[in-house]
Coordinates of all heavy atoms in Angstrom, one line a residue:
A959 N -32.3 -77.3 -42.4 CA -32.3 -78.1 -41.3 C -33.6 -77.9 -40.4 O -34.0 -78.9 -39.7 CB -31.2 -77.7 -40.3
L960 N -34.3 -76.8 -40.5 CA -35.6 -76.6 -39.8 C -36.6 -76.4 -40.9 O -36.6 -75.4 -41.6 CB -35.5 -75.4 -38.9 CG -34.5 -75.6 -37.8 CD1 -34.5 -74.2 -37.0 CD2 -34.9 -76.7 -36.8
E961 N -37.6 -77.3 -41.0 CA -38.7 -77.2 -42.0 C -39.9 -76.6 -41.3 O -40.2 -76.8 -40.1 CB -39.0 -78.6 -42.6 CG -38.0 -79.1 -43.5 CD -38.0 -78.5 -44.8 OE1 -39.1 -77.8 -45.2 OE2 -37.1 -78.6 -45.7
H962 N -40.7 -75.9 -42.2 CA -41.9 -75.5 -41.6 C -43.0 -76.6 -41.6 O -43.1 -77.4 -42.5 CB -42.6 -74.4 -42.5 CG -42.0 -73.0 -42.4 ND1 -42.6 -71.9 -42.7 CD2 -40.7 -72.7 -42.0 CE1 -41.9 -70.9 -42.5 NE2 -40.7 -71.3 -42.1
S963 N -43.6 -76.8 -40.4 CA -44.6 -77.9 -40.3 C -46.0 -77.2 -40.6 O -46.2 -76.0 -40.5 CB -44.6 -78.6 -39.0 OG -45.0 -77.6 -38.0
E964 N -47.0 -78.2 -40.8 CA -48.3 -77.6 -41.1 C -48.9 -76.8 -39.8 O -49.6 -75.9 -39.9 CB -49.2 -78.8 -41.3 CG -50.7 -78.3 -41.8 CD -51.5 -79.5 -42.1 OE1 -50.9 -80.6 -42.3 OE2 -52.7 -79.4 -42.2
E965 N -48.4 -77.2 -38.7 CA -49.0 -76.7 -37.4 C -48.6 -75.3 -37.2 O -49.3 -74.4 -36.7 CB -48.7 -77.5 -36.2 CG -49.3 -78.9 -36.1 CD -48.7 -79.8 -37.1 OE1 -47.5 -79.7 -37.4 OE2 -49.4 -80.8 -37.6
D966 N -47.2 -75.0 -37.5 CA -46.8 -73.6 -37.3 C -46.9 -72.7 -38.2 O -46.6 -71.5 -38.1 CB -45.2 -73.8 -36.9 CG -44.4 -73.8 -38.1 OD1 -44.7 -74.7 -38.9 OD2 -43.5 -73.0 -38.3
G967 N -47.5 -73.1 -39.4 CA -47.6 -72.1 -40.5 C -48.4 -70.9 -40.2 O -48.0 -69.7 -40.5
T968 N -49.5 -71.1 -39.6 CA -50.4 -69.9 -39.3 C -49.7 -68.9 -38.4 O -49.8 -67.7 -38.6 CB -51.7 -70.4 -38.7 OG1 -51.5 -71.1 -37.6 CG2 -52.6 -71.1 -39.7
I969 N -49.0 -69.5 -37.4 CA -48.4 -68.6 -36.5 C -47.2 -67.8 -37.2 O -47.1 -66.6 -37.0 CB -47.8 -69.3 -35.3 CG1 -48.9 -70.0 -34.6 CG2 -47.0 -68.5 -34.4 CD1 -48.5 -70.8 -33.4
Y970 N -46.5 -68.6 -38.1 CA -45.3 -68.0 -38.6 C -45.7 -66.8 -39.6 O -45.1 -65.8 -39.7 CB -44.4 -69.0 -39.3 CG -43.0 -68.6 -39.3 CD1 -42.2 -68.9 -38.3 CD2 -42.6 -67.9 -40.4 CE1 -40.9 -68.5 -38.2 CE2 -41.2 -67.5 -40.4 CZ -40.4 -67.8 -39.4 OH -39.1 -67.4 -39.3
E971 N -46.8 -67.0 -40.4 CA -47.2 -66.1 -41.3 C -47.8 -64.8 -40.7 O -47.7 -63.8 -41.3 CB -48.3 -66.8 -42.3 CG -47.9 -67.8 -43.2 CD -48.9 -68.4 -44.0 OE1 -50.1 -67.9 -43.9 OE2 -48.8 -69.4 -44.6
M972 N -48.2 -64.9 -39.5 CA -48.8 -63.7 -38.9 C -47.8 -62.7 -38.5 O -48.1 -61.5 -38.4 CB -49.5 -64.1 -37.6 CG -50.9 -64.8 -37.8 SD -51.8 -65.0 -36.3 CE -52.3 -63.4 -36.0
A973 N -46.5 -63.1 -38.4 CA -45.5 -62.1 -37.9 C -44.1 -62.4 -38.5 O -43.2 -62.5 -37.7 CB -45.5 -62.1 -36.5
D974 N -44.1 -62.3 -39.8 CA -42.7 -62.4 -40.4 C -41.9 -61.1 -40.0 O -40.8 -61.2 -39.7 CB -42.8 -62.4 -41.9 CG -42.7 -63.9 -42.4 OD1 -42.4 -64.8 -41.6 OD2 -43.0 -64.1 -43.6
D975 N -42.7 -60.1 -39.8 CA -42.1 -58.8 -39.4 C -42.6 -58.5 -38.0 O -43.7 -58.4 -37.7 CB -42.5 -57.7 -40.3 CG -41.9 -56.3 -39.8 OD1 -41.1 -56.4 -39.0 OD2 -42.3 -55.3 -40.5
P976 N -41.7 -58.6 -37.0 CA -42.2 -58.4 -35.6 C -42.9 -57.0 -35.4 O -43.7 -56.8 -34.4 CB -40.9 -58.5 -34.8 CG -39.9 -59.2 -35.7 CD -40.2 -58.8 -37.0
D977 N -42.6 -56.1 -36.3 CA -43.2 -54.7 -36.1 C -44.7 -54.7 -36.3 O -45.4 -53.8 -35.9 CB -42.6 -53.8 -37.1 CG -41.1 -53.4 -36.7 OD1 -40.8 -53.6 -35.5 OD2 -40.3 -52.9 -37.5
V978 N -45.2 -55.8 -36.7 CA -46.6 -56.0 -37.0 C -47.3 -55.9 -35.7 O -48.5 -55.5 -35.6 CB -47.1 -57.2 -37.7 CG1 -47.0 -58.4 -36.8 CG2 -48.5 -57.1 -38.3
W979 N -46.7 -56.3 -34.6 CA -47.2 -56.2 -33.2 C -47.1 -54.8 -32.6 O -47.7 -54.5 -31.6 CB -46.5 -57.2 -32.3 CG -46.6 -58.5 -32.9 CD1 -45.7 -59.3 -33.5 CD2 -47.8 -59.3 -33.0 NE1 -46.2 -60.5 -34.0 CE2 -47.5 -60.5 -33.6 CE3 -49.2 -59.1 -32.7 CZ2 -48.5 -61.4 -33.9 CZ3 -50.1 -60.1 -32.9 CH2 -49.8 -61.3 -33.5
V980 N -46.3 -53.9 -33.2 CA -46.1 -52.5 -32.6 C -47.0 -51.6 -33.4 O -47.5 -50.6 -32.9 CB -44.7 -52.2 -32.7 CG1 -44.5 -50.8 -32.2 CG2 -43.8 -53.2 -32.0
R981 N -47.1 -51.8 -34.7 CA -47.9 -50.7 -35.6 C -48.9 -51.5 -36.3 O -48.6 -52.6 -37.0 CB -46.9 -50.1 -36.5 CG -47.6 -48.9 -37.1 CD -46.5 -47.9 -37.6 NE -45.5 -47.7 -36.7 CZ -45.6 -47.0 -35.6 NH1 -46.8 -46.5 -35.2 NH2 -44.6 -46.9 -34.7
S982 N -50.1 -51.0 -36.3 CA -51.2 -51.7 -37.1 C -51.1 -51.6 -38.5 O -50.6 -50.4 -39.0 CB -52.6 -51.2 -36.5 OG -52.7 -49.8 -36.9
R983 N -51.5 -52.5 -39.3 CA -51.5 -52.4 -40.7 C -52.9 -52.5 -41.2 O -53.6 -53.4 -41.1 CB -50.7 -53.5 -41.4 CG -49.2 -53.5 -41.0 CD -48.4 -54.5 -41.7 NE -47.0 -54.4 -41.5 CZ -46.1 -55.3 -41.8 NH1 -46.5 -56.4 -42.4 NH2 -44.8 -55.0 -41.6
P984 N -53.4 -51.3 -41.8 CA -54.8 -51.3 -42.4 C -55.0 -52.4 -43.5 O -54.1 -52.6 -44.2 CB -55.0 -49.9 -42.9 CG -53.7 -49.4 -43.2 CD -52.7 -50.1 -42.2
C985 N -56.1 -53.0 -43.4 CA -56.4 -54.0 -44.4 C -57.4 -53.3 -45.5 O -58.3 -52.6 -45.2 CB -57.2 -55.2 -43.7 SG -57.8 -56.3 -44.8
A986 N -57.1 -53.7 -46.7 CA -57.8 -53.1 -47.9 C -59.3 -53.4 -47.7 O -60.2 -52.6 -48.0 CB -57.3 -53.6 -49.2
R987 N -59.8 -54.6 -47.3 CA -61.1 -54.8 -47.2 C -61.8 -54.2 -46.1 O -63.1 -54.3 -46.1 CB -61.3 -56.5 -47.2 CG -60.9 -57.0 -45.9 CD -61.0 -58.6 -45.9 NE -60.5 -59.2 -44.7 CZ -61.3 -59.5 -43.7 NH1 -62.6 -59.1 -43.8 NH2 -60.9 -60.0 -42.5
D988 N -61.1 -53.7 -45.3 CA -61.8 -53.0 -44.1 C -62.0 -51.5 -44.5 O -62.5 -50.7 -43.6 CB -60.9 -53.0 -42.8 CG -60.9 -54.5 -42.3 OD1 -61.8 -55.1 -42.4 OD2 -59.8 -54.8 -41.8
A989 N -61.6 -51.1 -45.6 CA -61.8 -49.6 -46.0 C -63.2 -49.1 -45.9 O -63.4 -48.0 -45.6 CB -61.1 -49.3 -47.3
H990 N -64.1 -50.0 -46.2 CA -65.5 -49.5 -46.3 C -66.2 -49.5 -44.9 O -67.3 -49.1 -44.8 CB -66.2 -50.6 -47.1 CG -66.3 -52.0 -46.6 ND1 -65.4 -52.8 -46.7 CD2 -67.4 -52.6 -45.9 CE1 -65.8 -54.0 -46.1 NE2 -66.9 -53.8 -45.7
R991 N -65.5 -50.1 -43.9 CA -66.1 -50.1 -42.6 C -66.4 -48.7 -42.0 O -65.7 -47.8 -42.3 CB -65.3 -50.8 -41.6 CG -65.1 -52.3 -42.0 CD -64.3 -52.9 -40.8 NE -64.1 -54.4 -41.2 CZ -65.0 -55.3 -41.0 NH1 -66.2 -55.0 -40.4 NH2 -64.7 -56.6 -41.3
K992 N -67.5 -48.7 -41.2 CA -67.7 -47.4 -40.6 C -66.6 -47.0 -39.6 O -66.1 -47.9 -38.8 CB -69.1 -47.4 -39.9 CG -69.5 -46.1 -39.2 CD -70.9 -46.3 -38.5 CE -71.4 -45.0 -37.9 NZ -72.6 -45.2 -37.2
E993 N -66.1 -45.7 -39.7 CA -65.1 -45.3 -38.8 C -65.6 -44.9 -37.4 O -66.7 -44.4 -37.3 CB -64.3 -44.3 -39.4 CG -63.6 -44.6 -40.7 CD -62.8 -43.4 -41.3 OE1 -63.2 -42.2 -41.0 OE2 -61.9 -43.7 -42.1
I994 N -64.7 -45.0 -36.4 CA -65.0 -44.6 -35.1 C -63.9 -43.5 -34.8 O -62.8 -43.8 -34.8 CB -64.9 -45.7 -34.0 CG1 -65.9 -46.8 -34.3 CG2 -65.2 -45.1 -32.7 CD1 -65.8 -47.9 -33.4
S995 N -64.4 -42.3 -34.5 CA -63.5 -41.2 -34.3 C -63.4 -40.9 -32.8 O -64.5 -40.7 -32.2 CB -63.9 -39.9 -35.1 OG -63.9 -40.2 -36.4
S996 N -62.2 -40.8 -32.3 CA -62.1 -40.3 -30.9 C -61.5 -38.9 -31.0 O -60.6 -38.5 -31.7 CB -60.9 -41.2 -30.3 OG -60.6 -40.7 -28.9
V997 N -62.1 -38.0 -30.2 CA -62.0 -36.6 -30.5 C -61.6 -35.8 -29.1 O -62.2 -36.2 -28.1 CB -63.1 -35.8 -31.0 CG1 -62.9 -34.3 -31.2 CG2 -63.5 -36.4 -32.4
A998 N -60.6 -35.0 -29.1 CA -60.3 -34.2 -27.9 C -60.0 -32.8 -28.4 O -59.4 -32.5 -29.4 CB -59.0 -34.7 -27.2
I999 N -60.3 -31.8 -27.6 CA -60.0 -30.3 -27.9 C -59.1 -29.8 -26.9 O -59.2 -30.1 -25.7 CB -61.4 -29.5 -27.9 CG1 -62.4 -30.2 -28.7 CG2 -61.1 -28.2 -28.3 CD1 -62.1 -30.3 -30.2
I1000 N -58.1 -29.2 -27.4 CA -57.0 -28.6 -26.5 C -56.9 -27.1 -26.6 O -57.0 -26.5 -27.7 CB -55.6 -29.2 -26.9 CG1 -55.6 -30.7 -26.9 CG2 -54.5 -28.6 -26.0 CD1 -55.8 -31.4 -28.3
S1001 N -57.0 -26.5 -25.5 CA -56.9 -25.0 -25.5 C -55.5 -24.7 -24.6 O -55.2 -25.4 -23.7 CB -58.1 -24.4 -24.8 OG -58.1 -24.6 -23.4
G1002 N -55.0 -23.6 -25.0 CA -53.7 -23.2 -24.3 C -53.8 -21.7 -24.0 O -54.3 -20.9 -24.7
G1003 N -53.3 -21.4 -22.7 CA -53.3 -20.2 -22.3 C -52.6 -20.0 -21.0 O -52.1 -21.0 -20.3
R1004 N -52.5 -18.8 -20.3 CA -51.9 -18.6 -19.0 C -52.8 -19.1 -17.9 O -54.0 -18.6 -17.7 CB -51.7 -17.1 -18.8 CG -50.6 -16.5 -19.7 CD -49.2 -17.0 -19.3 NE -48.1 -16.3 -20.1 CZ -46.9 -16.6 -20.0 NH1 -46.5 -17.6 -19.2 NH2 -46.0 -15.9 -20.7
G1005 N -52.3 -20.1 -17.1 CA -53.1 -20.5 -15.9 C -54.4 -21.1 -16.2 O -54.8 -21.4 -17.3
Y1006 N -55.2 -21.4 -15.1 CA -56.5 -22.0 -15.2 C -57.4 -21.4 -14.2 O -57.0 -20.9 -13.1 CB -56.3 -23.6 -14.7 CG -57.8 -24.1 -14.4 CD1 -58.6 -24.4 -15.4 CD2 -58.2 -24.2 -13.1 CE1 -59.9 -25.0 -15.1 CE2 -59.3 -24.8 -12.8 CZ -60.3 -25.2 -13.7 OH -61.5 -25.6 -13.5
R1007 N -58.6 -21.1 -14.7 CA -59.7 -20.4 -13.9 C -61.0 -21.1 -14.2 O -61.4 -21.5 -15.2 CB -59.7 -19.0 -14.4 CG -60.7 -18.1 -13.6 CD -60.8 -16.7 -14.1 NE -61.7 -15.9 -13.4 CZ -62.1 -14.6 -13.7 NH1 -61.3 -14.1 -14.7 NH2 -63.0 -14.0 -13.0
N1008 N -61.7 -21.3 -12.9 CA -63.0 -21.7 -13.0 C -63.9 -20.5 -12.8 O -63.8 -19.9 -11.7 CB -63.2 -22.8 -12.0 CG -64.7 -23.5 -12.1 OD1 -65.7 -23.0 -11.7 ND2 -64.7 -24.7 -12.7
F1009 N -64.9 -20.4 -13.7 CA -65.8 -19.1 -13.7 C -67.1 -19.4 -12.8 O -67.9 -18.6 -12.9 CB -66.1 -18.8 -15.2 CG -64.9 -18.2 -15.9 CD1 -64.2 -19.1 -16.7 CD2 -64.5 -17.0 -15.7 CE1 -63.1 -18.6 -17.5 CE2 -63.4 -16.5 -16.5 CZ -62.6 -17.3 -17.3

Side-chain angles (χ1 to χ4, degrees):
L960 294 177
E961 288 280 347
H962 283 205
S963 66
E964 185 178 348
E965 291 76 29
D966 79 302
T968 55
I969 297 178
Y970 209 86
E971 288 174 14
M972 285 189 73
D974 267 350
D975 180 5
D977 290 340
V978 76
W979 302 107
V980 180
R981 189 157 321 287
S982 64
R983 291 181 175 178
C985 177
R987 68 185 180 91
D988 292 326
H990 67 281
R991 292 184 184 277
K992 184 178 179 180
E993 294 181 341
I994 304 178
S995 296
S996 176
V997 180
I999 307 295
I1000 302 99
S1001 72
R1004 293 286 188 184
Y1006 162 75
R1007 180 179 178 184
N1008 188 281
F1009 293 96

